[in-house]
Amino acid sequence: MTTYWIKNVSILGGQPTNLVLNEGRIGHIGDLRGVSSDDGVEEIDGTGLIALPGLVDLHTHLREPGREDAETVESGTRAAAMGGFTAVHAMANTEPVADTAGVVEQVWRLGREAGYCDVYPVGAVTVGLAGQQLAELGAMADSAARVRVFSDDGKCVSDAVLMRRALEYVKAFDGVVAQHAQEPRLTEGAQMNEGELSGRLGLAGWPAVAEEAIIARDVLLAEHVGSRLHVCHVSTAGSVELIRWAKGKGVQVTAEACPHHLLLTDDLAATYDPIYKVNPPLRSTADAEALRAGLADGTIDIVATDHAPHPLEDKDCEWAAAAFGMLGLETALSIVQQTMVDTGLLDWAGVAERMSYAPARIGRVSDVQGRPIVAGEPANVVLYDPRATRVVDPAESQSLSRNTPYRGMELPGRVVATFLRGKATVLDGKIQ
Amino acid sequence: MKRHLLSTADLSRDDAELILATAAELRELADRPIKKLPALRGRTVVNLFFEDSTRTRISFEAAAKRLSADVINFAAKGSSLSKGESLKDTALTLEAMGADAVVVRHGASGAPHRLAHSGWVRSNVVNAGDGTHEHPTQALLDAFTMVRHLGGSGAKPSLDGRRVVIVGDVLHSRVARSNALLLNTLGAEVTLVAPPTLLPVGVESWPVETSYDLDAVIPKADAVMMLRVQRERMSGGFFPTAREYSRRYGLDGRRMATLQDHTIVMHPGPMVRGMEITADVADSDRSVIVEQVTNGVAVRMAVLYLLLGGSEPAVGGEE
């Protein structure tokens, strides 16, 4: 196995130092005099680069099994590696749905075979995501995939009793229910954020209250039964306020925000270009600002991508006919830099917390992922050049899909290298 | 004028006046024994209708034919919404056939916008009604009708200071959206009247007044436009019963009696007689509903003529 000497690199934005990755672990940090080297050493000039712990995504759609035309575990994890991720949680809304031990073990095994990052399957809460009956959560937890995160993402567990039972049941194996907060009746046929613009464009509105009502109910349920709740893709200022309130009361709730909700706003819908169609929808500037503030003060625990690949034909059509979702893995860190770091809201240690340590803790994988960069830890490391800029070209994506809303935008930063347990999955900005 | 007519928001006051003035010239044609002009000879207009619409399609067809254009009617049953041929493939087919203008009616809001801006076709695109978004030629023919009855004696078509009340399902109405914008551009004061459940979120930012009380606003109106209320809205819980809706927001003989003498009653059709309008009102002297249809042809002629590059006067250059 190659030993890497990364010279003059800034760990979490600190003073430049040297970082040795050896035998899958962080071997040494600091002065290299006296550090033994053999022929297998590869030196990397880390000047100007920041070292971050390998990023962990709690919300990725890998589409396999079932929609291999949009993404496979291999292509999706290649995209993840290019974005600096060393672990992704693969959402359950595949075909068939990941609601049995068999399916989650298949996804887990495909991730191991691909080898670009650790793949942790998310189990469905209910059979077929139908919201009727609990899936065999325990069987998925006990499987080789060791599922700890359960979600019907794409659909809301809207039945209050079912949600209560799920929250209670997963306590037996320290699981967490990740809720897609969307009151279904309030969002029938919904196409975009409900507001002045939806009324003008004649697109059915997706009101903020449909998200907030579910979050309010769920944090009360979580408090009542003493369970862990995770809220997916928080998109409104009101939701941030509710989560802040719940945390203040001591409710065990965690929450994620997506890069696109931090950067983009609903005025893009005026183009009627469904590249901007996503669920929950892009919201107002005030909502995006509230999300940034919530992410900065820790109300929102993590950034998660909601990477949602779709084939061209599902986006190259009229808005109402198009699929919800956008790519996110390869641009997430750049957008967090632009919206949070360059604005002074977060430092790089804060980015590490929100994109690596915290998601690993929520997913209960922090024994191997989301570890600090200190000697002896697994060598899951990203080298990132925050001074680079790039113009997003969908054709360069590792994803099989091209539905990035950032096409043609200039974004800051570039992932130079990603190491998964000491093995380079990305080097010189190229997939290995 | 812009290349496409997608929204009445795209029309400046000059544009709107030009269309209405051109329509007025073309309207005279309806009274001549030979109703045809050579203005668009050799040009192809495609009527692309993804939704059933007899009256709008026929109106556009008559308009194009009176300008001597070749007309292709393309009733695309089942859009990509219902897994039929996609909007894109249909558009590419039309492009290959050499359409100069595409008149499109589609159930999805923004579909004509997509057609015009996605690079699929080079044709001029005319929105003939998209989802719950807009129906600009309907608004133009409504404005044209109002100018004929209420426009005063000025040289330019104008609705300055005229009060127009639009009543009904504004939330789902593309006619209301297009009219609110256009009538404002032409100087009218528009009031939207509906139960609160049928007014869109954000309507306070529209250039209109709103009211929940029909009786309070119609005595001052110069024109009252009733919108169709689809019966399926009832199952959506927007109002309790058809009877209650009619009682609170329908135009009947009693309410008509409170109108000023010159006030006209309009309806974009198709009407649900007995729901939003009673038969005696629809058939009364105040009703200009049938005239709206006639005017529709003239307005659509003007739109097609101006979009397809009519720089010469439309009327007078007969060969």
Side-chain angles (χ1 to χ4, degrees), chain B residues 207-230:
Chain B
V208 298
E209 299 289 315
T210 58
S211 170
Y212 309 138
D213 184 351
L214 183 57
D215 289 311
V217 299
I218 55 172
K220 289 180 180 169
D222 298 301
V224 178
M225 184 186 303
M226 306 306 296
L227 301 173
R228 181 166 63 120
V229 178
Q230 294 178 337

Side-chain angles (χ1 to χ4, degrees), chain B residues 97-116:
Chain B
M97 286 178 186
D100 295 296
V102 178
V103 175
V104 60
R105 157 73 59 101
H106 201 288
S109 299
H113 190 282
R114 281 294 273 166
L115 206 56

Side-chain angles (χ1 to χ4, degrees), chain A residues 185 194-204 270-275 312 314-322, chain B residues 79-81 83 86-88 106 108-111 113-114 118 120 130-134 177 181 200-202 205-206:
Chain A
R185 284 278 284 149
E194 182 163 287
E196 188 271 328
L197 190 61
S198 64
R200 199 147 52 79
L201 296 178
L203 292 172
T271 62
Y272 286 110
D273 184 344
I275 200 79
L312 186 60
D314 286 346
K315 288 290 189 179
D316 208 10
C317 56
E318 56 273 31
W319 182 285
Chain B
S79 66
S80 52
L81 284 169
K83 300 289 173 206
S86 75
L87 178 64
K88 178 178 181 174
H106 201 288
S109 299
H113 190 282
R114 281 294 273 166
S118 57
W120 300 333
D130 62 328
T132 55
H133 177 224
E134 287 217 35
R177 275 172 185 71
L181 297 167
V201 167
S205 68
W206 296 19

Side-chain angles (χ1 to χ4, degrees), chain A residues 339-364:
Chain A
T339 57
M340 302 299 296
V341 180
D342 292 352
T343 54
L345 290 168
L346 275 188
D347 57 15
W348 290 106
V351 172
E353 168 67 20
R354 283 156 185 79
M355 297 186 78
S356 179
Y357 308 150
R361 286 197 304 271
I362 294 167
R364 294 296 192 255

Side-chain angles (χ1 to χ4, degrees), chain A residues 127-426:
Chain A
V127 175
L129 310 176
Q132 300 290 322
Q133 181 192 347
L134 288 183
E136 289 191 348
L137 309 179
M140 291 188 274
D142 293 342
S143 73
R146 295 186 66 254
V147 176
R148 291 295 178 271
V149 181
F150 298 90
S151 182
D152 276 1
D153 180 64
K155 293 192 174 163
C156 181
V157 182
S158 61
D159 183 296
V161 172
L162 204 56
M163 185 63 184
R164 173 194 172 147
R165 299 281 182 250
L167 286 168
E168 289 176 312
Y169 194 80
V170 299
K171 284 201 278 190
F173 31 86
D174 196 22
V176 65
V177 177
Q179 175 70 294
H180 172 115
Q182 174 178 7
E183 211 296 311
R185 284 278 284 149
L186 282 171
T187 51
E188 280 171 13
Q191 296 293 326
M192 68 169 291
N193 182 39
E194 182 163 287
E196 188 271 328
L197 190 61
S198 64
R200 199 147 52 79
L201 296 178
L203 292 172
W206 197 133
V209 62
E211 175 173 307
E212 293 155 7
I214 293 293
I215 293 174
R217 181 200 75 178
D218 285 354
V219 295
L220 294 173
L221 281 174
E223 179 182 42
H224 182 59
V225 300
S227 295
R228 284 206 292 149
L229 167 71
H230 178 73
V231 185
C232 295
H233 41 53
V234 169
S235 72
T236 78
S239 298
V240 176
E241 214 34 60
L242 282 163
I243 293 162
R244 191 174 281 129
W245 171 81
K247 284 187 165 181
K249 287 189 71 183
V251 179
Q252 297 181 72
V253 57
T254 55
E256 73 193 30
C258 300
H260 47 269
H261 289 126
L262 294 171
L263 182 65
L264 307 177
T265 49
D266 61 352
D267 52 315
L268 291 164
T271 62
Y272 286 110
D273 184 344
I275 200 79
Y276 302 114
K277 181 173 171 178
V278 64
N279 192 21
L282 301 178
R283 302 286 188 186
S284 70
T285 304
D287 290 310
E289 283 170 359
L291 291 180
R292 293 182 191 190
L295 189 60
D297 71 18
T299 302
I300 306 281
D301 301 81
I302 66 169
V303 172
T305 67
D306 198 3
H307 176 83
H310 289 291
L312 186 60
E313 62 270 22
D314 286 346
K315 288 290 189 179
D316 208 10
C317 56
E318 56 273 31
W319 182 285
F324 289 100
M326 40 184 64
L327 300 185
L329 286 167
E330 290 167 271
T331 45
L333 190 50
S334 288
I335 289 165
V336 170
Q337 183 191 341
Q338 179 168 333
T339 57
M340 302 299 296
V341 180
D342 292 352
T343 54
L345 290 168
L346 275 188
D347 57 15
W348 290 106
V351 172
E353 168 67 20
R354 283 156 185 79
M355 297 186 78
S356 179
Y357 308 150
R361 286 197 304 271
I362 294 167
R364 294 296 192 255
V365 295
S366 55
D367 51 335
V368 290
Q369 288 284 346
R371 305 295 305 172
I373 302 179
V374 296
E377 291 289 351
N380 297 321
V381 176
V382 194
L383 301 181
Y384 183 71
D385 179 358
R387 275 174 296 208
T389 59
R390 63 190 164 132
V391 174
V392 178
D393 178 0
E396 290 175 356
S397 175
Q398 294 295 322
S399 170
L400 294 183
S401 293
R402 296 288 174 262
N403 55 307
T404 171
Y406 312 110
R407 173 197 307 263
M409 279 176 67
E410 187 178 277
L411 294 180
R414 187 175 76 104
V415 171
V416 174
T418 307
F419 299 94
L420 174 64
R421 282 182 290 279
K423 176 175 167 282
T425 53
V426 175

